[in-house]
Amino acid sequence: MTEPSHPSVTVAALTHDLVRKRSIVSLVWTDEPEKTVALPVPFGCSLADARAEAEKALRMLSAETATLDVRSA
């Protein structure tokens, strides 16, 4: 019997908006490719730093959403 692997995401894209001076990393769940998220990272983030910055952004999002109330319109 094999142990289940931990869920993971893959950095799919890193884009830089030069006009707005912001950078966005796009993440895709490894085992559920229809599940994606795009998060802000420091402007000008390099490809070499994209994974670490994406992880920081994802952890911050996780902490923020852990206490959110979901409301209907």
Side-chain angles (χ1 to χ4, degrees):
M1 187 182 261
T2 61
E3 290 287 321
S5 63
H6 292 285
S8 63
V9 293
T10 300
V11 175
L14 173 63
T15 57
H16 303 291
D17 183 334
L18 301 176
V19 173
R20 293 184 181 162
K21 296 190 180 199
R22 65 181 190 169
S23 296
I24 302 289
V25 66
S26 297
L27 305 174
V28 177
W29 269 246
T30 306
D31 58 346
E32 296 182 64
E34 69 283 352
K35 192 187 276 188
T36 64
V37 66
L39 299 168
V41 293
F43 178 64
C45 176
S46 70
L47 284 175
D49 294 335
R51 187 183 95 46
E53 293 298 341
E55 188 169 347
K56 285 182 207 173
L58 192 57
R59 302 275 179 242
M60 287 173 45
L61 177 65
S62 179
E64 182 180 341
T65 58
T67 59
L68 284 178
D69 291 327
V70 177
R71 301 177 185 180
S72 57

